[in-house]
Every structure is written in C-alpha cells, then in structure tokens.
Amino acid sequence: MSENILLQGLIKGDAKAFEKLYKKEYNTLFSKAMKVLGDEFKAKDAINEVFLQLWERNTFKNVTVSPEAYVMVILHHKCIHMATTDTKTRTKLKNLEISLSNQQENQPIEEQQEQLTKLKLATEELSEKQKVAIEKIYWQKLSYKEASEQMGVSINSFNEHMKRAMQKYRRIFTLESVTKNHHI
C-alpha cells in the first residue's frame, strides 16, 4: 500500500488502513516510547492511547506529512506528557508523605491517634484496588512498576489508583483542617 493510498484510507476511517499503519509502525513506535519512558508497560499504553485517540478523532484529514511521521510526532508528545505527569505525581506524593511525617513529629500523642483514626476511616472509603496500591507503595515499599506488575495492571492504571486514593486522603484531611480553623 503506497503512502498516499494509506493516507486516503486513514482519512476515510478505513479500519484496514488503520490496522496496516499500526502493524507497520508498531516496533518503531515501541522503540521510541521505550527511549522516552523507559518502561515496557508505559510504552505499550502510550502507543495504544495514541492509536485510540487517532481512531476516535480521525485527525488524518489535516496531515501534510507521511502518516508514519505524523503518528511518531503524536507519540513523542504523548510520551513526554506521560513522563512529566508521572514525575509530578511522584513529587506530590513524596511531598505529602514528608509533610505528614513532619506534622506527626510535632503533634501530641492524642492528635497522632486522632490522625490515625481519620486515616483508617479515609482508607475505608478507598476502592479495593486503591487500598492494595497504597499498601504496596507505603507498607511493602515497592516501586510503582513492581506494584503495578503484582496487581496485574498497567503503570498508568496504577498511577490513577494512587492519584485517586491520595485525592481522597487529601480531601478528608483538608476538610478536617478547614473545620478546625473555622471552630477556633
């Protein structure tokens, strides 16, 4: 299939043309994603997300370069976004952990026990996967990659479980501090 025929098929939303591009470029795209992300699961997720996005949005009608080059550029941007987001999430979680640790050192025993009770109550609000994710990171001290592999989910799914769990914790502890400040 020539490049022009392939592009015309992609513009028309032809599934066979789309599949042809996917199969033809997968190894090259995988190598690129691995260089940027350094993780097999993330690389596969990035490629699949890019192709899903291209299929749903059918943006090929605006393409002025080869379909292969177009997909490569989109994948590059996707990988950079994923790497940046992952780094930001890890930094936020680490800062929250340090903040909670510092707060705990300066608190009387009664306040520490109250915080522990609230933490237990907040944990009850988490989904099973979120609880398992928290346990693997904070109690078993596994890396995100190890934990995601043990849970049988992609690293992106694992990051989402952690992000949502931490949002729930933050919401509960933020509500608590806002309530305390309004009662003083």
Side-chain angles (χ1 to χ4, degrees), residues 104-117:
Q104 190 174 16
E105 289 174 8
N106 299 325
Q107 288 178 331
I109 296 291
E110 300 82 30
E111 283 187 37
Q112 287 181 25
Q113 296 221 298
E114 184 182 331
Q115 291 287 328
L116 186 58
T117 302

Side-chain angles (χ1 to χ4, degrees), residues 123 125-137 147-148 151-154 157-165 168:
T123 301
E125 285 191 26
L126 302 179
S127 72
E128 274 310 306
K129 287 191 177 187
Q130 290 168 348
K131 288 178 189 175
V132 171
I134 292 290
E135 179 184 328
K136 290 190 179 300
I137 296 300
S148 68
M151 287 179 65
V153 298
S154 72
S157 294
F158 185 82
N159 281 338
E160 197 61 31
H161 291 308
M162 285 297 295
K163 183 173 105 182
R164 289 190 177 149
K168 287 179 183 178

Side-chain angles (χ1 to χ4, degrees), residues 15-149:
K16 287 186 185 211
F18 200 79
E19 182 180 356
K20 174 99 173 155
L21 178 64
Y22 182 86
K23 287 179 178 178
K24 179 181 170 200
E25 294 301 311
Y26 186 84
N27 290 337
T28 305
L29 296 170
F30 182 76
S31 294
K32 172 67 173 178
M34 281 297 294
K35 284 180 186 172
V36 176
L37 298 170
D39 181 275
E40 179 182 347
F41 297 109
K42 286 182 182 181
K44 289 178 180 179
D45 279 351
I47 293 167
N48 290 334
E49 287 177 26
V50 164
F51 273 92
L52 180 63
Q53 175 187 350
L54 290 171
W55 179 254
E56 290 175 345
R57 296 182 185 166
N58 191 6
T59 57
F60 285 102
K61 59 186 166 216
N62 303 323
V63 173
T64 57
V65 295
S66 73
E68 297 85 356
Y70 182 68
V71 171
M72 183 62 76
V73 168
I74 291 177
L75 178 68
H76 176 77
H77 288 289
K78 178 70 173 173
C79 289
I80 297 296
H81 176 73
M82 287 173 70
T84 304
T85 302
D86 187 41
T87 302
K88 287 178 183 175
T89 300
R90 285 180 184 266
T91 302
K92 285 179 184 177
L93 291 175
K94 196 66 176 163
N95 289 342
L96 180 62
E97 184 180 1
I98 291 167
S99 173
L100 290 175
S101 176
N102 290 341
Q103 286 177 3
Q104 190 174 16
E105 289 174 8
N106 299 325
Q107 288 178 331
I109 296 291
E110 300 82 30
E111 283 187 37
Q112 287 181 25
Q113 296 221 298
E114 184 182 331
Q115 291 287 328
L116 186 58
T117 302
K118 288 182 190 236
L119 186 60
K120 286 178 183 177
L121 290 172
T123 301
E124 290 174 8
E125 285 191 26
L126 302 179
S127 72
E128 274 310 306
K129 287 191 177 187
Q130 290 168 348
K131 288 178 189 175
V132 171
I134 292 290
E135 179 184 328
K136 290 190 179 300
I137 296 300
Y138 290 102
W139 299 110
Q140 296 177 16
K141 302 292 185 192
L142 298 177
S143 70
Y144 275 47
K145 181 179 179 188
E146 293 167 329
S148 68
E149 287 171 356

Side-chain angles (χ1 to χ4, degrees), residues 171-184:
R171 187 188 70 228
I172 287 170
F173 284 97
T174 302
L175 285 174
E176 171 213 336
S177 75
V178 167
T179 305
K180 272 187 178 178
N181 289 340
H182 280 75
H183 289 292
I184 295 178

